Amino acid sequence: MLDFLFNLFTEPDKSWSFVSIPFAVVFVLFFVLYIFIRQSSKTMMLAYTVAFSLFFAYKANGVLMLLLPATVVISYYLTRLMAEKEDTERKCWMWITVLIDLAPLVYYKYTNFLIEIFNEMTATNFAPLSIILPIGISFYTFQAISYTVDVYKGRFDEEVSLLEYFFYLTFFPLLIAGPITRAETLIPQIKHRYHIGDEMVYTGLWLIMSGLIKKALIADYIAQYNNWIFDDPTAYSGFECLMGSLGYTLQIYCDFSGYSDISIGIASLLGIQLKENFNYPYQSLNLQEFWRRWHISLSTWFRDYVYIPLGGNRKGSWRTYLNNFITMLVAGLWHGASWMFVIWGALHGLVLVIHKACKPWLDRIPNTWYVKLASFVLTFSFVNVAWIFFRAHDLQTVADMIRTMVCDFSIDYFVPFVETRTMWVVFVVLGYGLHAMRKNHVDRLKSLYIDSPYTLKLLLLFIVLQFVINFRQSDIQPFIYAQF
């Protein structure tokens, strides 16, 4: 027992995440003390949460977590120095701060990719470096950049102490995979310490249960079969490859939106309200709508800090198309140092440009139910195919998978597939069924849960946990977006 506790608090753990039992144990201990500290002193509450967040970062990253406090200190003081400069110098200092914030991200995430490109261009053979990507570095780097730019632009002008900035950049619910949260959302809440009402607590529990169902129940269960398909699509029929493609489309949504639900739910328990990060994206009728619903915090970040600075839609149609395309290329590259992510971003950028160019003509089409159905099918089909590029190891895997689906597809596989993989089919149908629900219906269910008796709340929590335990895989599947 003592050895378990010692390792729990001192050893880094690659499986450390919101759905692991060790995290649940440590969080309960943290939360009990947090309730009392929050009522006594804001400074103690901030320091206590920062300490736990740094511990959380250490468990996930080991000694690489030192990058996080280093980023906090450097970004904070450089931003303050920038704010004190005259207008003629402020822009220069803003860029210095942004580039310094980006430097660790570029090194850890893109060094080997740049070496690969250099080798291809010069026909050399430099060996890749042994570099481990720190978990969460993309997310806290983007939060640091947004703070610096918002201060520079005058969009955020509140006085922020170093401790408050530590809280903002290290807040553990956001640390692994966001949502990317702006200073204007988080810092005012920690300055004023709003009362944690029953609705916030129960909303947090509802979101945590929702996230567990999506991530630990649906995404993790269907992941194993999806992995088999993408590892060797030629070993399966076209129907099985199509199921794997549809399965991954659901998996990545349930995995990341499940993480976001748990993250926002934990923050709600702590008295912090975060903005939603997913809004039923697969219900979209066009790709522009999809990106307003998918990973909302990242989409708005790229809009505000890449697309608009490039000129947005202010410099004519062709420049608007180019800005859209460049933004999606950068978004693709942000997801990973691989040509597959660049291609995925380019595909989305190209279709967004086509949609924007055709919009005057599309707006003249009657908005009937069958037009909406066709729009939904086209949008979902494109997103599904694009996810193949996102998930596949290389272009050969993409070609094999698409060729198998097209050339070796037969509906005769349907009944044997359902009989062989019954539970997989049940979870996929459940996942898509939950996603097909109207938002107002889900909000109604949440309200019924909030107003329900304590006994019913506990019963629902017990049922969810029991399902997760019964159907969980032997190995915890890491959050997909933790690698970005």
Side-chain angles (χ1 to χ4, degrees), residues 382-399:
F382 168 78
V383 170
N384 179 65
V385 171
W387 282 133
I388 297 175
F389 288 84
F390 189 92
R391 172 61 179 81
H393 303 298
D394 49 41
L395 284 173
Q396 185 60 52
T397 303
V398 174

Side-chain angles (χ1 to χ4, degrees), residues 240-477:
E240 290 171 311
C241 285
L242 176 62
M243 291 301 99
S245 174
L246 291 172
Y248 183 73
T249 296
L250 178 65
Q251 178 195 343
I252 193 170
Y253 165 74
C254 286
D255 189 285
F256 194 24
S257 69
Y259 170 89
S260 294
D261 286 348
I262 297 172
S263 172
I264 296 168
I266 291 174
S268 187
L269 292 180
L270 302 179
I272 302 293
Q273 290 184 313
L274 303 176
K275 296 180 180 180
E276 69 175 358
N277 205 28
F278 287 85
N279 182 21
Y280 306 92
Y282 295 151
Q283 295 183 14
S284 303
L285 302 183
N286 58 67
L287 198 59
Q288 187 174 19
E289 182 184 356
F290 172 81
W291 279 106
R292 289 177 182 148
R293 292 168 172 256
W294 176 274
H295 200 350
I296 299 169
S297 64
L298 182 67
S299 300
T300 54
W301 195 97
F302 276 109
R303 180 198 66 196
D304 294 344
Y305 302 105
V306 179
Y307 176 70
I308 292 177
L310 284 172
N313 58 3
R314 304 187 304 274
K315 298 185 178 181
S317 298
W318 288 105
R319 181 62 181 273
T320 299
Y321 303 152
L322 179 61
N323 293 340
N324 264 289
F325 188 75
I326 291 174
T327 300
M328 289 311 303
L329 275 182
V330 175
L333 190 59
W334 174 86
H335 282 84
S338 164
W339 287 115
M340 300 305 295
F341 293 116
V342 175
I343 294 170
W344 173 80
L347 287 171
H348 275 270
L350 180 62
V351 174
L352 281 170
V353 168
I354 293 172
H355 175 262
K356 186 161 285 191
C358 295
K359 198 170 187 308
W361 175 75
L362 293 172
D363 288 342
R364 293 199 294 268
I365 300 176
N367 198 24
T368 57
W369 70 266
Y370 50 85
V371 170
K372 290 182 178 179
L373 178 61
S375 300
F376 162 75
V377 171
L378 284 172
T379 302
F380 181 80
S381 298
F382 168 78
V383 170
N384 179 65
V385 171
W387 282 133
I388 297 175
F389 288 84
F390 189 92
R391 172 61 179 81
H393 303 298
D394 49 41
L395 284 173
Q396 185 60 52
T397 303
V398 174
D400 290 341
M401 191 158 182
I402 293 177
R403 182 174 57 250
T404 304
M405 286 192 290
V406 173
C407 301
D408 187 30
F409 181 86
S410 174
I411 197 65
D412 294 339
Y413 284 93
F414 176 76
V415 173
F417 183 86
V418 172
E419 290 176 346
T420 305
R421 307 202 180 279
T422 303
M423 284 310 304
W424 187 91
V425 173
V426 167
F427 280 119
V428 168
V429 171
L430 173 64
Y432 278 115
L434 291 173
H435 187 279
M437 294 179 67
R438 296 289 184 183
K439 190 175 188 300
N440 60 317
H441 294 160
V442 177
D443 290 341
R444 176 60 179 159
L445 288 176
K446 182 178 76 172
S447 298
L448 289 174
Y449 170 80
I450 292 173
D451 295 335
S452 65
Y454 291 100
T455 52
L456 182 57
K457 291 185 177 73
L458 290 174
L459 178 62
L460 288 173
L461 180 61
F462 174 79
I463 291 172
V464 169
L465 292 176
Q466 193 62 45
F467 268 103
V468 169
I469 293 170
N470 287 347
F471 287 98
R472 70 180 293 165
Q473 302 299 297
S474 56
D475 294 326
I476 296 174
Q477 297 289 323

Side-chain angles (χ1 to χ4, degrees), residues 230-241:
F230 279 93
D231 286 343
D232 187 9
T234 58
Y236 298 87
S237 68
F239 182 86
E240 290 171 311
C241 285

Side-chain angles (χ1 to χ4, degrees), residues 138-315:
S138 296
F139 292 90
Y140 67 72
T141 297
F142 274 26
Q143 284 198 187
I145 291 172
S146 71
Y147 173 75
T148 299
V149 175
D150 286 350
V151 171
Y152 169 75
K153 294 283 188 180
R155 293 193 290 247
F156 184 80
D157 57 4
E158 288 196 45
E159 187 69 28
V160 179
S161 68
L162 179 59
L163 181 58
E164 290 168 340
Y165 192 68
F166 251 104
F167 185 101
Y168 163 70
L169 216 56
T170 66
F171 189 44
F172 70 92
L174 309 175
L175 203 52
I176 291 180
I180 301 169
T181 302
R182 312 284 179 87
E184 64 186 20
T185 298
L186 189 55
I187 290 178
Q189 295 187 66
I190 63 179
K191 280 183 173 293
H192 301 292
R193 282 193 305 160
Y194 301 115
H195 173 67
I196 306 177
D198 289 346
E199 184 172 353
M200 283 192 72
V201 173
Y202 298 141
T203 296
L205 290 175
W206 169 267
L207 288 170
I208 290 171
M209 288 193 299
S210 173
L212 288 174
I213 291 170
K214 290 178 183 177
K215 163 59 182 171
L217 195 60
I218 297 175
D220 281 4
Y221 188 88
I222 68 177
Q224 185 176 28
Y225 173 76
N226 301 338
N227 292 339
W228 293 341
I229 294 296
F230 279 93
D231 286 343
D232 187 9
T234 58
Y236 298 87
S237 68
F239 182 86
E240 290 171 311
C241 285
L242 176 62
M243 291 301 99
S245 174
L246 291 172
Y248 183 73
T249 296
L250 178 65
Q251 178 195 343
I252 193 170
Y253 165 74
C254 286
D255 189 285
F256 194 24
S257 69
Y259 170 89
S260 294
D261 286 348
I262 297 172
S263 172
I264 296 168
I266 291 174
S268 187
L269 292 180
L270 302 179
I272 302 293
Q273 290 184 313
L274 303 176
K275 296 180 180 180
E276 69 175 358
N277 205 28
F278 287 85
N279 182 21
Y280 306 92
Y282 295 151
Q283 295 183 14
S284 303
L285 302 183
N286 58 67
L287 198 59
Q288 187 174 19
E289 182 184 356
F290 172 81
W291 279 106
R292 289 177 182 148
R293 292 168 172 256
W294 176 274
H295 200 350
I296 299 169
S297 64
L298 182 67
S299 300
T300 54
W301 195 97
F302 276 109
R303 180 198 66 196
D304 294 344
Y305 302 105
V306 179
Y307 176 70
I308 292 177
L310 284 172
N313 58 3
R314 304 187 304 274
K315 298 185 178 181

Side-chain angles (χ1 to χ4, degrees), residues 29-236:
L29 297 175
F30 160 81
F31 184 64
V32 170
L33 189 55
Y34 175 88
I35 294 172
F36 296 102
I37 292 177
R38 191 177 192 278
Q39 295 173 347
S40 61
S41 167
K42 185 186 83 169
T43 300
M44 287 183 62
M45 181 270 289
L46 293 176
Y48 177 61
T49 307
V50 167
F52 183 80
S53 297
L54 293 176
F55 163 75
F56 183 90
Y58 171 74
K59 290 291 291 183
N61 282 316
V63 294
L64 286 176
M65 61 79 60
L66 294 174
L67 283 169
L68 178 56
T71 299
V72 172
V73 173
I74 293 170
S75 176
Y76 175 76
Y77 282 109
L78 284 179
T79 302
R80 288 191 64 178
L81 182 62
M82 175 200 71
E84 295 169 357
K85 297 294 181 179
E86 299 293 333
D87 291 342
T88 54
E89 298 180 60
R90 281 167 60 87
K91 187 173 184 178
C92 178
W93 278 99
M94 183 271 292
W95 278 111
I96 289 173
T97 306
V98 168
L99 291 174
I100 289 176
D101 285 339
L102 279 173
L105 176 64
V106 172
Y107 171 76
Y108 282 98
K109 195 168 186 175
Y110 301 106
T111 295
N112 284 331
F113 185 53
L114 294 173
I115 290 175
E116 177 188 338
I117 294 173
F118 181 79
N119 285 340
E120 291 175 356
M121 292 177 62
T122 61
T124 52
N125 192 28
F126 286 101
L129 303 179
S130 179
I131 298 175
I132 300 173
L133 180 67
I135 293 174
I137 188 171
S138 296
F139 292 90
Y140 67 72
T141 297
F142 274 26
Q143 284 198 187
I145 291 172
S146 71
Y147 173 75
T148 299
V149 175
D150 286 350
V151 171
Y152 169 75
K153 294 283 188 180
R155 293 193 290 247
F156 184 80
D157 57 4
E158 288 196 45
E159 187 69 28
V160 179
S161 68
L162 179 59
L163 181 58
E164 290 168 340
Y165 192 68
F166 251 104
F167 185 101
Y168 163 70
L169 216 56
T170 66
F171 189 44
F172 70 92
L174 309 175
L175 203 52
I176 291 180
I180 301 169
T181 302
R182 312 284 179 87
E184 64 186 20
T185 298
L186 189 55
I187 290 178
Q189 295 187 66
I190 63 179
K191 280 183 173 293
H192 301 292
R193 282 193 305 160
Y194 301 115
H195 173 67
I196 306 177
D198 289 346
E199 184 172 353
M200 283 192 72
V201 173
Y202 298 141
T203 296
L205 290 175
W206 169 267
L207 288 170
I208 290 171
M209 288 193 299
S210 173
L212 288 174
I213 291 170
K214 290 178 183 177
K215 163 59 182 171
L217 195 60
I218 297 175
D220 281 4
Y221 188 88
I222 68 177
Q224 185 176 28
Y225 173 76
N226 301 338
N227 292 339
W228 293 341
I229 294 296
F230 279 93
D231 286 343
D232 187 9
T234 58
Y236 298 87

